[in-house]
Amino acid sequence: MSEEVHLRTCHLCESMCGLEVTVEDDRVLRIRPDKEDVWSRGYICPKGTMLGELHHDPDRLRSPVVKGEDGEFREVSWEEAFRVAAEKIQAVTANHGMQALHTYIGNPAAHNFSLQRYIAAFMPMSGIESVWSPGTVDQWPKNVSSALMLGDAWRIPAPDVDRCDFLLVVGANPHASQGSLLAASDLLGRLDAIQDRGGEVVVVDPRRTGTCDHATEWVPIRPGTDAALMMAMCHVIFREGLESLGNLEGKVDGLDRMKELAKAWSPERVESTCGIPEADIERLARSLAGADHGAVYARIGTCNQEFGTLASWLTDVLNVITGNMDREGGAMFGNPIAWSLLNLPDPQYAEGFSFGRWKSRVSGYPEVLGQFPVSCLAEEIATPGEGQIKGLVIIAGNPVISSPGGDKLEEVLPDLECIVALDLYINETTCHADVIFPALSPFEQPHYDELIWSWAIRSGGNFSPPVFEPPEGSYAEWQTLLMLAAICQGADPGSVDIGQIDDLFYGGLVAGLVQMPGFALEGREPAEIVEMSNHHGPMRMLDFQIRTGPWGDIYGKESDGLTLEDLMAAPHGLDLGPMVPRIDEVLRTPSGDLELAPEYITNDLNRLAERIERAEPDLVLVSRRDVRSNNSWMHNLPKLVAGRNRCTLLIHPDDAERCSVVHDEITQIRSRSGCIEVVAEVTEEMMPGVVCLPHGWGHDRPGARLEVAARHAGVNSNHLSPGDFVDEISGNQAVNGIPVEVSPI
Ligand SMILES: Nc1nc2c(c(=O)[nH]1)N[C@H]1C(S)=C(S)[C@@H](COP(=O)(O)OP(=O)(O)OC[C@H]3O[C@@H](n4cnc5c(=O)[nH]c(N)nc54)[C@H](O)[C@@H]3O)O[C@H]1N2
Ligand SMILES: Nc1nc2c(c(=O)[nH]1)N[C@H]1C(S)=C(S)[C@@H](COP(=O)(O)OP(=O)(O)OC[C@H]3O[C@@H](n4cnc5c(=O)[nH]c(N)nc54)[C@H](O)[C@@H]3O)O[C@H]1N2
Ligand code: SF4
Ligand SMILES: [Mo]
């Protein structure tokens, strides 16, 4: 057989790199960057080149597995797996009611062609009301701030890195992550370009990360104090009369309130808390306000901490009051070819968001955007009584590793009466399942990013057809989800017609949207729209998202408009230019204005005021990522985990000396929730007083089928994350800034 080349977008992260995948028969021979990809232009990282290894990984599930009486998994037919899932799920709903069945939806769902579209079908159709997710160890604070400021939890401004000349990067490390809530391939190259054109990039981070090599300056900050820094920057901007609303003049509520609040937060007041001298805070504020095109970009270091919502909110406050919000070179809003289902108006947006509509049963956490801190999952399973969780559907997740207190979750998962999982692997969490349905290999399914383009610095899209046919008789994840939805509703899997359920979902969506004021299809006949599609499943959804998007053909209304076929005819992708100002389309607040000082958030400044009075612990822990790792997975690919041990404790030489810790030796690290042992790496890249561990490791658990990962097990840093250490107003877990003690063993 001869070699064939397939073009593909890497789905692993927000960089969305174009790949050239060379295959022979059913083997992937090599993966190279697609230099002609209009978006990534030849950029790639080591993970993208390893997708062939993922495809061929012997541990990757190829058929459903069911756990026997002996506790061992055995491969079964799809029919049998669905039958067992139905038995288990329906026993839970019959004996305990629907409210005893919950779902956990993990991160890869945001990057998967089927899942990102069909979770929107699975949730309402299954009748499952309770969702847990790593969103509360991630961007929940940003969702809260966007909900209240903009009226849309998923509208997140992205810094226009290609046109700005002052960029403040706070708590983000694109050197490892490649950008998050910010899609821009080769982000580090773009940071270099800012400096090449005479601009500045300043990185605020407790660690001198690889990103600092692409910045003008590193400003070390004590974890969890970003909100204090940013309040002080606001203080300076107002005190010196540097504020301007720019394009947003007349569209902002709460400016006077913001000025009032900032008065109390002088740089002098916060300098010792943040560990940043007053003069530096003033300089940063002036540089941002004085830049022709400035932007503040903040990410997970500012979310996964005690004051995540305040910091996320202040990031945008700074962008607004320096006139940089929604203007070229500032913080702007992406405009994808195919819009995201997550931007459908939340039913709450008309009357304004409110939180705490219900409380968690055991610890009494208020719900925020429908979820509780993910660490509560364990106690909700363990604690008997009305409303106890009895069954779980786990979709693309690994909370035993990824969530704070995952060790407690691991203990109680076996108590559940039913766990049904959908995953590529038998991982540390899915090993507790009764049934695991395999996801298709990424190469066996089409791909098109849905959510990620929402914060991409250019408008565009790229459709990837599958490289290989899926195994005969297998189900794509969207089909599995629809089947599981029907099972949750009591159906006998043998009599379920998936195509029919899909039509019902799609028809319902279209019928709802034609009635939505302002939607591209407002007033159209739903049956006519449904008839006009040649696709089904996620392809039909994607076609719909493109056709009703900003460049779409609006189902015949715009003769030159785009459809999925146009994307299919452009294998290197379509580029429709940089972001453009569009605040009027974005704002969905009840007032119609951008809310600069939402009371729900500003009330939390009292908690911050208490924090800055508190004595500082000697040592606190923060998290990190590595370019060769992806949260808790991709660790089973020998070539990717090869080389030096990446699961080490980074510690500053002064702290190492004080704690008698020796480089390269095993060290004990203890927090109030746990204790682990890990090799120390003494390095000046940490600021004194802060140590750092990666998350996503600890592959030494019995039951998982990850042979390579087990040999590079590492330790689970989340054993040190106290479940009750949260950003109170978002319910997001604080995994950064955890007080710890380090000692030799
Ligand atoms: N201490 C600490 N903890 C953290 C973080 C931190 O910074 N510090 N970060 C948090 C963040 S931001 C996140 S997003 C979470 C991640 O937390 P999770 O989403 O719970 O975990 P992942 O490691 O992403 O695991 C994903 C699982 O999905 C599977 N998978 C991959 N692709 C697919 C697919 O296409 N289909 C299906 N069905 N399954 C698939 C993988 O095999 C893997 O088992 O971790 C969080 N935990
Ligand atoms: N290679 C790779 N890429 C990934 C992932 C991965 O696991 N591996 N995960 C993906 C996911 S799910 C996400 S959410 C994104 C996250 O993307 P990023 O937000 O860029 O994540 P990190 O690389 O963890 O960088 C966070 C930085 O915050 C710093 N930090 C910690 N605490 C504080 C604090 O209190 N204040 C400040 N200012 N900084 C602090 C840390 O030192 C770290 O350098 O990455 C995505 N991309
Ligand atoms: S940066 Fe790496 S993981 Fe991310 S999309 Fe590109 S190749 Fe894939
Ligand atoms: Mo994440």
Side-chain angles (χ1 to χ4, degrees):
M1 272 295 280
S2 58
E3 294 182 6
E4 262 174 44
V5 173
H6 296 256
L7 297 178
R8 195 66 210 172
T9 300
C10 175
H11 72 298
L12 291 172
C13 86
E14 298 187 17
S15 188
M16 302 189 288
C17 301
L19 308 177
E20 221 182 71
V21 183
T22 308
V23 306
E24 189 173 43
D25 302 335
D26 58 356
R27 298 296 303 176
V28 177
L29 294 183
R30 64 187 163 273
I31 298 180
R32 302 256 193 276
D34 171 14
K35 296 202 175 76
E36 288 171 61
D37 186 281
V38 297
W39 163 258
S40 61
R41 295 178 292 183
Y43 183 76
I44 196 173
C45 91
K47 292 187 297 304
T49 64
M50 293 294 155
L51 286 173
E53 272 75 358
L54 176 65
H55 179 77
H56 296 299
D57 185 349
D59 282 343
R60 183 172 65 75
L61 291 172
R62 269 103 175 145
S63 63
V65 290
V66 165
K67 195 174 277 163
E69 293 289 323
D70 56 358
E72 297 295 321
F73 282 112
R74 61 188 169 85
E75 290 191 358
V76 297
S77 67
W78 284 84
E79 291 63 38
E80 180 171 357
F82 283 128
R83 189 185 52 71
V84 176
E87 237 171 66
K88 290 277 176 186
I89 288 176
Q90 290 167 2
V92 166
T93 53
N95 295 333
H96 310 284
M98 200 62 188
Q99 75 279 5
L101 188 62
H102 288 218
T103 179
Y104 176 94
I105 301 170
N107 171 270
H111 300 270
N112 170 302
F113 186 67
S114 285
L115 293 180
Q116 54 195 340
R117 291 172 182 81
Y118 275 74
I119 280 168
F122 173 73
M123 288 312 300
M125 289 186 140
S126 66
I128 296 180
E129 284 177 2
S130 301
V131 186
W132 301 83
S133 82
T136 56
V137 209
D138 194 340
Q139 80 299 324
W140 228 238
K142 193 76 208 174
N143 294 136
V144 170
S145 99
S146 280
L148 295 176
M149 295 179 86
L150 306 169
D152 182 340
W154 286 99
R155 201 65 84 167
I156 293 167
D160 185 9
V161 287
D162 283 353
R163 291 176 294 187
C164 77
D165 45 35
F166 181 83
L167 181 67
L168 189 64
V169 178
V170 192
N173 180 19
H175 179 258
S177 70
Q178 310 295 315
S180 173
L181 300 181
L182 162 57
S185 200
D186 189 17
L187 192 44
L188 295 179
R190 292 174 199 266
L191 299 190
D192 291 339
I194 295 176
Q195 295 177 76
D196 291 346
R197 51 179 188 264
E200 280 179 71
V201 178
V202 179
V203 176
V204 180
D205 197 302
R207 173 171 165 235
R208 193 190 188 294
T209 62
T211 299
C212 301
D213 297 337
H214 302 264
T216 346
E217 185 183 352
W218 170 45
V219 177
I221 185 168
R222 212 185 303 279
T225 68
D226 303 85
L229 165 71
M230 292 198 247
M231 275 310 277
M233 288 176 66
C234 292
H235 176 97
V236 175
I237 289 165
F238 290 132
R239 187 181 68 197
E240 300 187 0
L242 303 176
E243 76 274 16
S244 132
L245 295 180
N247 290 345
L248 297 196
E249 200 62 65
K251 292 175 187 162
V252 175
D253 272 352
L255 182 64
D256 290 339
R257 177 77 187 126
M258 200 58 227
K259 284 186 185 167
E260 198 52 41
L261 289 166
K263 277 190 185 143
W265 294 85
S266 65
E268 194 190 351
R269 181 179 178 205
V270 307
E271 65 172 351
S272 69
T273 306
C274 301
I276 305 175
E278 184 183 351
D280 287 348
I281 299 176
E282 288 172 344
R283 184 170 51 83
L284 287 179
R286 289 178 196 133
S287 299
L288 176 66
D292 287 339
H293 303 278
V296 188
Y297 165 60
R299 215 13 309 257
I300 206 157
T302 61
C303 284
N304 279 349
Q305 55 144 294
E306 216 182 335
F307 299 97
T309 311
L310 284 177
S312 299
W313 159 68
L314 285 162
T315 300
D316 288 339
V317 169
L318 282 170
N319 285 322
V320 171
I321 66 172
T322 52
N324 285 308
M325 183 64 94
D326 199 43
R327 79 151 175 190
E328 286 178 13
M332 304 187 77
F333 296 94
N335 199 16
I337 290 179
W339 55 277
S340 159
L341 296 184
L342 275 175
N343 285 123
L344 281 178
D346 188 292
Q348 279 200 72
Y349 89 96
E351 69 268 24
F353 283 87
S354 62
F355 308 115
R357 292 164 294 167
W358 57 88
K359 296 225 160 54
S360 75
R361 192 173 58 97
V362 181
S363 285
Y365 278 103
E367 97 15 83
V368 177
L369 296 167
Q371 293 190 28
F372 300 125
V374 67
S375 63
C376 296
L377 180 55
E379 64 189 26
E380 293 292 331
I381 293 171
T383 312
E386 176 83 21
Q388 183 181 12
I389 303 177
K390 294 290 185 182
L392 202 54
V393 178
I394 302 172
I395 303 168
N398 195 3
V400 162
I401 295 215
S402 62
S403 58
D407 42 343
K408 300 190 181 68
L409 183 64
E410 184 178 31
E411 268 169 39
V412 300
L413 282 176
D415 299 345
L416 286 172
E417 291 172 19
C418 153
I419 303 180
V420 171
L422 187 49
D423 207 285
L424 290 167
Y425 289 102
I426 304 178
N427 67 23
E428 294 76 8
T429 305
T430 59
C431 68
H432 297 283
D434 301 294
V435 191
I436 312 176
F437 293 96
L440 292 180
S441 150
F443 283 167
E444 291 162 352
Q445 52 184 316
H447 181 66
Y448 188 100
D449 280 290
E450 183 191 81
L451 189 57
I452 310 305
W453 283 101
S454 310
W455 39 78
I457 59 164
R458 299 181 69 82
S459 291
N462 197 341
F463 177 80
S464 311
V467 175
F468 299 117
E469 284 294 312
E472 177 85 24
S474 58
Y475 285 65
E477 282 172 273
W478 67 274
Q479 294 169 310
T480 305
L481 283 180
L482 291 182
M483 178 66 96
L484 289 176
I487 287 174
C488 291
Q489 284 299 313
D492 165 4
S495 62
V496 171
D497 179 341
I498 289 174
Q500 200 176 31
I501 309 181
D502 184 36
D503 289 343
L504 203 68
F505 167 58
Y506 180 67
L509 186 81
V510 175
L513 286 174
V514 296
Q515 292 178 33
M516 194 177 98
F519 189 73
L521 298 179
E522 188 184 353
R524 295 278 291 270
E525 192 50 55
E528 173 210 343
I529 306 297
V530 170
E531 291 242 314
M532 283 176 78
S533 184
N534 317 319
H535 303 281
H536 67 284
M539 297 283 279
R540 175 163 64 179
M541 286 297 305
L542 172 60
D543 190 36
F544 181 76
Q545 290 163 292
I546 294 169
R547 298 179 77 170
T548 56
W551 288 272
D553 81 332
I554 322 292
Y555 288 87
K557 200 168 143 210
E558 302 287 338
S559 54
D560 296 336
L562 297 178
T563 69
L564 177 54
E565 273 62 30
D566 295 300
L567 270 288
M568 289 171 137
H572 302 285
L574 284 184
D575 175 49
L576 298 177
M579 296 183 281
V580 293
R582 53 191 297 259
I583 194 78
D584 295 329
E585 293 160 47
V586 164
L587 285 177
R588 275 182 179 160
T589 53
S591 68
D593 287 341
L594 185 148
E595 297 295 345
L596 196 61
E599 210 181 319
Y600 180 78
I601 299 177
T602 58
N603 284 343
D604 203 34
L605 287 168
N606 296 328
R607 200 166 56 95
L608 184 67
E610 286 164 23
R611 162 71 179 80
I612 66 170
E613 299 303 327
R614 202 164 73 194
E616 297 297 335
D618 288 339
L619 266 191
V620 294
L621 173 71
V622 297
S623 291
R624 73 170 182 272
R625 288 177 161 68
D626 186 279
V627 72
R628 298 180 74 91
S629 164
N630 199 15
N631 294 322
S632 77
W633 67 294
M634 300 288 283
H635 296 165
N636 209 52
L637 311 180
K639 287 191 198 148
L640 207 55
V641 285
R644 66 182 176 84
N645 175 11
R646 289 180 183 80
C647 188
T648 57
L649 179 78
L650 304 182
I651 182 166
H652 188 272
D654 295 350
D655 294 319
E657 196 184 321
R658 190 168 45 84
C659 304
S660 314
V661 164
V662 179
H663 184 72
D664 245 1
E665 287 192 1
I666 295 180
T667 300
Q668 196 173 67
I669 169 164
R670 180 186 298 279
S671 74
R672 72 176 158 89
S673 71
C675 179
I676 57 180
E677 288 175 3
V678 59
V679 173
E681 209 176 318
V682 178
T683 163
E684 292 197 338
E685 82 186 43
M686 292 314 299
M687 71 184 274
V690 185
V691 293
C692 177
L693 281 172
H695 79 284
W697 298 87
H699 301 297
D700 56 351
R701 311 314 303 149
R705 196 172 87 195
L706 294 162
E707 208 201 310
V708 177
R711 282 190 263 120
H712 301 264
V715 287
N716 185 348
S717 66
N718 275 323
H719 292 188
L720 301 172
S721 313
D724 60 356
F725 189 36
V726 295
D727 168 40
E728 285 174 14
I729 64 170
S730 65
N732 197 84
Q733 312 275 169
V735 294
N736 294 303
I738 301 168
V740 288
E741 283 165 25
V742 172
S743 55
I745 51 165

